[in-house]
Amino acid sequence: MPVLRPAPSRAAGVGRRRLLGALVGLPVLAGGLPGCTDAPTARVDDGPIELSVFWWGGTKRAQATERALRRYSQRDPRVSFRITWQGLTGYYDRLATQATGGNVPDLFQIDDSMLTEYARRRIVLDLSRHVEDRRLDLTGVPAGLARYGQVEGRTVAVAAGQSLPVLVHNQDLLRRLRVPAPTSGMSWSDHIAWAARVTRAAGGRVAGTVDPSGDYRAFWLWLRGRRGELYRDRQLGFGSGELLDWFELWQRARAERATPGAALADQSDGGDLSRQAVVTGHTAVSFAWSHQLPELQRHTGDRLVVTGVPGPVAAQWPRASMFWAGFHGTRHPDTVADVIDFLINDPEVGRILGQERGLNPNLSVRAAVRAGLTDRELRQVAALDETVSSLLGPAPEPPAEGHLAVRTLLAAAAESIRSGRSGARAATSTFMARANAALAG
């Protein structure tokens, strides 16, 4: 199976918006109008089948996924795969280009930011009947993780891996500063106080923690720790008072010099792991996903260690790092479902894929993979999962349609406060008005 090497492209957010327009406006392909009809495309599951598959990731993920798909073809020689992969930056832009050219992938990777929108626009394949007849067997997947792939009660995607929100701290730096490591589950206020202590110990050369005030994932966890939610149905799940409390919490952190300056905070918001403050040496801690630890470690010579995020563990839930989804207009829906089942449930495939996309979604496969782990970083992640898995809270619905606009608005509001262009109250008021309009549209 040939591999298309990663190529530079434009920002992912622009690509997401472009994809929606491209898919909904496509001409008739494969016997149907994708995204605009409930009627399934005519199935062609007899004879030779070629499935197109698209995902984001690096070379290691590509090599492992290719090996897994080759194993499927060995099991069912009728099926071959045409694969494409690239980095996350520009991924959705590339998907839009494929859609415009009439070459929509049968099977592709997606994240929770767009899942609800794709489901409501009938872009992704409804997998519910395959789950019901066990062609796609989710009985080995934690109930909360399976639920997180459902929109309006329909299974529209399946977790390719599970990840935990974590603090990644520089163990060597903290030892040099003689400051104890942060502990899992400390309150948010205690975390900020700890970070201020780090800054003082470093003489201001290093800040204790990043500023996640514009990160919807940190905000969501903080809300759930207060029995709130980011969304309820198709509306915001919080009010202006809660958002103002969040912004003022991080204003106090900045006043105590627990966080770095605005420019570094904006840099960390970009998502590029090589520029995260914990690996560039600007902070002792960064917020991250557990499956990102090996990649973060590659960017620094200091030892990195993960702990749980601030707040109660029950504020977290079994969260998909990313999903596998099928295209609504595929001519091979049964085969697509069978391939997803194979990728999450086959023990040998689990060993091939390892934890590149996060913890294996199937618990028995996860346990088998964990037993054979030798990588120091992956063993850390597996140990943390064992500690917290039984304590996680119930899964919410995936983010509401319009979420991409909301997360962009939150980041912009936080940046305006950090830069001094807006006060916290003004930024909160502006955000609430614009976010409610985005969700209503």
Side-chain angles (χ1 to χ4, degrees):
M1 293 178 292
V3 175
L4 180 65
R5 296 299 171 193
S9 187
R10 284 167 286 178
V14 174
R16 286 183 172 101
R17 294 190 291 273
R18 184 173 161 228
L19 173 63
L20 292 171
L23 286 176
V24 173
L26 273 176
V28 175
L29 296 172
L33 184 63
C36 300
T37 177
D38 290 333
T41 306
R43 295 180 198 148
V44 186
D45 285 324
D46 298 324
I49 296 170
E50 183 184 63
L51 292 184
S52 53
V53 187
F54 188 34
W55 68 86
W56 73 80
T59 302
K60 184 177 179 182
R61 181 177 299 173
Q63 291 171 341
T65 309
E66 284 183 81
R67 285 181 60 200
L69 294 175
R70 280 199 297 270
R71 183 174 173 84
Y72 184 92
S73 294
Q74 291 167 0
R75 190 186 76 167
D76 188 347
R78 297 176 312 137
V79 181
S80 61
F81 298 94
R82 177 165 44 88
I83 67 172
T84 312
W85 65 276
Q86 67 171 66
L88 177 57
T89 300
Y91 173 81
Y92 287 95
D93 208 36
R94 183 61 176 273
L95 194 53
T97 299
Q98 292 175 325
T100 303
N103 188 27
V104 183
D106 297 288
L107 176 63
F108 57 95
Q109 209 169 268
I110 187 174
D111 61 26
D112 64 359
S113 294
M114 298 301 293
L115 186 59
T116 299
E117 195 147 4
Y118 284 23
R120 293 204 169 123
R121 293 183 183 236
R122 306 290 182 186
I123 293 168
V124 291
L125 177 66
D126 185 349
L127 296 163
S128 300
R129 67 178 181 85
H130 299 95
V131 174
E132 291 169 3
D133 65 17
R134 297 285 181 88
R135 177 182 286 271
L136 177 51
D137 187 358
L138 301 186
T139 56
V141 177
L145 187 58
R147 183 179 183 273
Y148 201 54
Q150 295 177 356
V151 175
E152 297 176 342
R154 297 177 293 119
T155 297
V156 295
V158 177
Q162 180 182 331
S163 198
L164 299 166
V166 293
L167 292 180
V168 178
H169 68 262
N170 185 325
Q171 184 183 73
D172 292 340
L173 171 66
L174 293 178
R175 284 177 175 170
R176 291 193 294 269
L177 297 176
R178 298 183 180 180
V179 176
T183 57
S184 297
M186 62 170 53
S187 71
W188 288 88
S189 294
D190 286 347
H191 172 69
I192 290 170
W194 171 87
R197 177 182 175 185
V198 172
T199 305
R200 291 193 299 272
R205 297 184 303 275
V206 177
T209 185
V210 293
D211 177 344
S213 54
D215 187 334
Y216 83 93
R217 296 165 299 185
F219 179 49
W220 199 348
L221 290 170
W222 179 82
L223 284 170
R224 281 173 63 94
R226 293 160 54 115
R227 299 185 179 179
E229 282 291 355
L230 189 63
Y231 299 106
R232 296 193 188 278
D233 297 322
R234 302 188 186 188
Q235 300 178 332
L236 294 176
F238 59 92
S240 58
E242 292 159 298
L243 181 59
L244 181 60
D245 285 349
W246 171 252
F247 284 151
E248 289 182 340
L249 175 71
W250 292 102
Q251 278 189 314
R252 291 193 295 274
R254 290 189 289 275
E256 295 171 15
R257 301 185 66 200
T259 66
L264 288 173
D266 296 343
Q267 175 180 300
S268 294
D269 281 349
D272 183 347
L273 296 186
S274 68
R275 301 181 69 190
Q276 294 305 297
V278 73
V279 300
T280 60
H282 292 106
T283 67
V285 158
S286 280
F287 285 79
W289 293 110
S290 58
H291 71 280
Q292 295 174 329
L293 177 62
E295 180 64 21
L296 287 167
Q297 184 64 78
R298 280 193 281 274
H299 293 295
T300 178
D302 282 352
R303 172 79 188 278
L304 300 182
V305 174
V306 294
T307 56
V309 294
V313 176
Q316 302 175 39
W317 65 95
R319 193 164 187 171
S321 52
M322 57 203 74
F323 298 94
W324 285 117
F327 174 50
H328 178 79
T330 180
R331 301 178 72 194
H332 310 289
D334 293 344
T335 306
V336 167
D338 195 58
V339 172
I340 296 174
D341 179 90
F342 181 75
L343 291 172
I344 68 169
N345 290 325
D346 185 275
E348 180 57 30
V349 167
R351 283 186 281 271
I352 291 170
L353 295 176
Q355 294 187 15
E356 233 296 313
R357 287 182 172 88
L359 300 160
N360 304 86
N362 180 299
L363 290 177
S364 61
V365 174
R366 186 185 302 182
V369 171
R370 177 186 294 140
L373 289 176
T374 57
D375 182 273
R376 182 177 65 185
E377 284 72 42
L378 295 181
R379 288 177 67 86
Q380 276 194 63
V381 174
L384 181 63
D385 171 60
E386 283 191 286
T387 301
V388 306
S389 59
S390 64
L391 305 174
L392 300 178
E397 290 284 339
E401 187 173 359
H403 171 66
L404 179 61
V406 171
R407 62 183 283 187
T408 301
L409 288 167
L410 181 67
E415 191 277 330
S416 72
I417 297 169
R418 287 194 296 253
S419 67
R421 294 196 313 274
S422 299
R425 289 185 181 277
T428 296
S429 178
T430 299
F431 169 88
M432 295 299 293
R434 292 179 177 174
N436 283 321
L439 294 172

